Amino acid sequence: MYGQIVRDGLVNVTGIEDLGLTSPVLQRTSDAFFKEISPFLLHFGMFVPTIIGQCTPEQQAKWLPLAMDLKIIGTYAQTELGHGTFIRGLETTATYDASTEQFILKTPKLSSYKWWAGGLGKTANHCIVLAQLYTKGVCHGPHPFIVQIRDTETHMPLPGIKVGEIGPKLGFNTADNGFLGFEDFRIPRENLMMKNAQVTKDGTYVKVARHGKLTYGTMVFVRVMLVSDMAYCLAKAVTIAVRYSAVRRQSQPKPDQPEPQVLDYLTQQHKLFICISTAHAMKLTSTWLWNTFTGVLADMRDGNTDTLPELHALSSCLKAISTSDTSALIEQCRFACGGHGYMYSSNLPALYSFATATRTYEGDYTVLLLQTARFLVKSWEQMDEGKPLTPTLAYLEQSRNGSQVSWDDSPEGIVRGFDAVAAGRIGACVKSIRKHINNGMDYEDAWQMTTVQLVGAAEAHCRAVICRVYRDETARLTAGCSPGVKAVLDQLSTLYLLYWALERTGDLLRFSSLSERDIENLQARYEALLLKIRPNAVGLVDAFDFRDEVLMSTLGSYDGRVYERLMEEALKTPLNREPVSDSFHKYIKPMMQGKL
Ligand SMILES: CC(C)(COP(=O)(O)OP(=O)(O)OC[C@H]1O[C@@H](n2cnc3c(N)ncnc32)[C@H](O)[C@@H]1OP(=O)(O)O)[C@@H](O)C(=O)NCCC(=O)NCCSC(=O)CCCC(=O)O
Ligand SMILES: Cc1cc2nc3c(=O)[nH]c(=O)nc-3n(C[C@H](O)[C@H](O)[C@H](O)COP(=O)(O)OP(=O)(O)OC[C@H]3O[C@@H](n4cnc5c(N)ncnc54)[C@H](O)[C@@H]3O)c2cc1C
């Protein structure tokens, strides 16, 4: 299995590199090679971006050509057995020895071992290591180092390196995630990635960057990319589920009528059409987030880090919500396909195992929403002090006078409703924190006692951002489209708003003048809209334009020959090579004869 995947991975990467094609093509073709993950994912996904983001121009000149030509194969080793979220708690140390101008790397305890890095087990011969930097007896916190871990000729681990694969997982079983330990392992001073901080030959620590968290820059980049990856992953899953639902006929709601396509059931439309909408919502939001990200990078190149906090807050909540929604909706696609959705050959299990991992890696869901909440509470307090709000928080102003927003069930009115919910929930958090402090708690405990509400407030803020961006971008991008295309895409964005309004009626009742009658109207509009979308459902997923080789699904192939493909795959399984398994003769027959 591993050997096959490495071969396919290299064919995929070198093939695309030779064709000089860009990463979207890489993304859309690599799936034709793997149902799961390439062992080279981290090389291009994090190792190369970290060299670009954390190295000086001189260091880039040395390492980038080697990495791009695959003369070295890298990964990103930050997480340890004992720490993943709390980076400042990482235990691996890099202590500077001025007498030899080297750093000495150590993993002092078992919990200090690097754990999880993709490709680390058997594939990578270099990696980015996050380690606590010590020089002249002072710890300067986690810093990135480039470390060669294997001999580039023999691939043997270098002396002082303990490295291996971490074993089977829920998914990602072709990603070759590994562990890594250091025993007084020495690297040259120049292997500290010195764009944001430097150590001179005599061991003097020099801070270059103004913002203390630029070391975390690769994670922001990957979080931004993950939102787009999720749109792509969900689009594949819903293509499979909708096509299968158009082929599958089941039950007889009306006597002497043929069994209907299961796609004609309203409950099936309720399960699946939100998946189509959400794939569009996340794709448009990811493009908007990418433009925000490149804008912040440009500011930072000019030495201005003022827009970085909002980018961190946005990338944190959008990564958390996009991965969480995608995991849940891919599982919903599987549920919608009955037993055949549980077949590995449907490709829904592999899509789910990928999506559910993304909810954890690159920053756990809860932890990242709390990062966003930290920014929201700070913004509220700045608003109280009369300071200006950042663009994505302009809606907070409407909450200053505390008046309840009047409910308006137009799409734009629903977007304003979600703004009111976010503003209301953030305000409730601020009130809770202040109440706990007034009752004698310190700020940290008051914050902890409010974290359940803070996660909810961050989710509400994120939902409001997605709703607004999805609605605005749909209007902007369809302005020149035919009335038919415009109408269908407008239906999808309206469906997203109605779906989430119905999911959040409690919040809307609390923070707007929504009434019971309004809810009845919302429900009726939602159901009518499902029926309107039904005739275009297959066309909408065909428009995602996935080739069968990329979908890799017995249920989702374009020709709809589901049963033939299921049987073809079944007959390929090893157990079907012989009519009688040798386990019958070894175990079952003796048991039947009372000889076991
Ligand atoms: C949770 C935090 C942010 C907490 O860190 P901390 O030092 O305690 O920070 P704090 O006190 O909460 O905040 C201090 C301050 O730092 C800011 N900050 C924090 N992170 C960032 C950032 N990325 N960019 C820009 N700013 C950042 C925060 O907003 C705070 O700002 P403030 O003090 O409020 O002005 C951090 O530990 C973290 O990011 N943890 C998540 C770890 C993570 O994402 N690991 C990923 C490993 S790589 C991986 O999983 C690869 C998978 C890929 C694959 O396999 O495909
Ligand atoms: C498939 C996969 C691939 C990965 N690839 C890599 C890789 O290539 N490189 C790499 O460095 N890492 C990688 N990781 C590790 C990943 O980044 C970490 O698992 C992730 O950051 C979460 O950290 P953790 O596992 O230590 O969980 P923890 O941080 O221990 O979290 C455990 C639980 O505690 C909660 N929790 C933690 N802190 C707080 C808090 N402050 N407030 C409230 N609740 C909290 C969390 O919400 C969670 O429910 C990978 C992980 C997976 C699953």
Side-chain angles (χ1 to χ4, degrees), residues 454-485:
L454 285 162
V455 167
E459 191 274 336
H461 169 69
C462 192
R463 197 64 65 195
V465 168
I466 294 172
C467 287
R468 178 175 301 285
V469 170
Y470 184 21
R471 192 71 194 165
D472 292 353
E473 286 301 286
T474 299
R476 183 178 69 84
L477 292 169
T478 57
C481 293
S482 69
V485 168

Side-chain angles (χ1 to χ4, degrees), residues 42 46 75-86 114-119 169 171-172 175 177 353 356-358 360-367 370 448 451:
L42 265 291
M46 290 194 80
T75 183
Y76 184 87
Q78 172 176 294
T79 303
E80 297 171 352
L81 259 177
H83 286 90
T85 287
F86 188 48
K114 293 301 177 185
W115 188 276
W116 273 117
K169 306 170 287 283
F172 262 77
N177 301 86
S353 75
T356 191
T358 62
T360 299
Y361 72 54
E362 217 56 69
D364 160 79
Y365 174 84
T366 304
V367 165
L370 288 173
Q448 278 304 326
T451 42

Side-chain angles (χ1 to χ4, degrees), residues 376-378 380-381 384 425-435 450 454:
L376 298 176
V377 167
K378 285 185 71 171
W380 183 284
E381 285 159 357
D384 276 353
R425 295 199 69 163
I426 298 166
C429 289
V430 171
K431 188 177 169 189
S432 166
I433 292 168
R434 289 174 180 168
K435 174 171 66 63
T450 308
L454 285 162

Side-chain angles (χ1 to χ4, degrees), residues 41-42 46 76 78-79 84-88 172 211 213 216 219-220 223 308 312 361-363 367 371 374 378:
L41 176 75
L42 265 291
M46 290 194 80
Y76 184 87
Q78 172 176 294
T79 303
T85 287
F86 188 48
I87 302 174
R88 283 186 291 138
F172 262 77
H211 196 290
K213 295 294 181 182
Y216 294 1
M219 291 183 283
V220 175
R223 290 166 191 162
L308 181 57
H312 170 51
Y361 72 54
E362 217 56 69
V367 165
Q371 283 294 301
R374 180 179 174 131
K378 285 185 71 171

Side-chain angles (χ1 to χ4, degrees), residues 344-530:
Y344 192 72
S345 69
S346 74
N347 204 21
L348 288 169
L351 287 168
Y352 174 74
S353 75
F354 170 72
T356 191
T358 62
R359 195 183 190 278
T360 299
Y361 72 54
E362 217 56 69
D364 160 79
Y365 174 84
T366 304
V367 165
L368 292 185
L369 286 181
L370 288 173
Q371 283 294 301
T372 300
R374 180 179 174 131
F375 176 75
L376 298 176
V377 167
K378 285 185 71 171
S379 299
W380 183 284
E381 285 159 357
Q382 286 167 354
M383 177 180 70
D384 276 353
E385 295 158 11
K387 291 179 185 165
L389 290 163
T390 57
T392 57
L393 282 168
Y395 66 80
L396 284 185
E397 282 295 345
Q398 81 188 14
S399 61
R400 286 181 69 77
N401 54 21
S403 61
Q404 194 180 54
V405 164
S406 62
W407 174 252
D408 160 6
D409 71 358
S410 69
E412 287 64 31
I414 295 173
V415 171
R416 283 194 298 277
F418 281 115
D419 287 344
V421 167
R425 295 199 69 163
I426 298 166
C429 289
V430 171
K431 188 177 169 189
S432 166
I433 292 168
R434 289 174 180 168
K435 174 171 66 63
H436 288 307
I437 291 171
N438 292 339
N439 292 340
M441 278 191 192
D442 64 24
Y443 187 85
E444 287 71 18
D445 288 342
W447 172 271
Q448 278 304 326
M449 273 310 293
T450 308
T451 42
V452 172
Q453 295 180 66
L454 285 162
V455 167
E459 191 274 336
H461 169 69
C462 192
R463 197 64 65 195
V465 168
I466 294 172
C467 287
R468 178 175 301 285
V469 170
Y470 184 21
R471 192 71 194 165
D472 292 353
E473 286 301 286
T474 299
R476 183 178 69 84
L477 292 169
T478 57
C481 293
S482 69
V485 168
K486 200 168 178 178
V488 170
L489 293 176
D490 182 74
Q491 286 170 358
L492 284 178
S493 67
T494 304
L495 185 86
Y496 189 86
L497 296 174
L498 295 175
Y499 177 93
W500 280 104
L502 288 164
E503 287 287 305
R504 293 286 183 271
T505 48
D507 285 339
L508 290 166
L509 286 165
R510 184 178 172 194
F511 297 112
S512 78
S513 64
L514 182 79
S515 68
E516 167 62 25
R517 181 159 180 66
D518 293 325
I519 294 172
E520 287 167 8
N521 290 339
L522 282 173
Q523 186 66 39
R525 282 177 61 196
Y526 174 74
E527 290 160 357
L529 192 49
L530 289 174

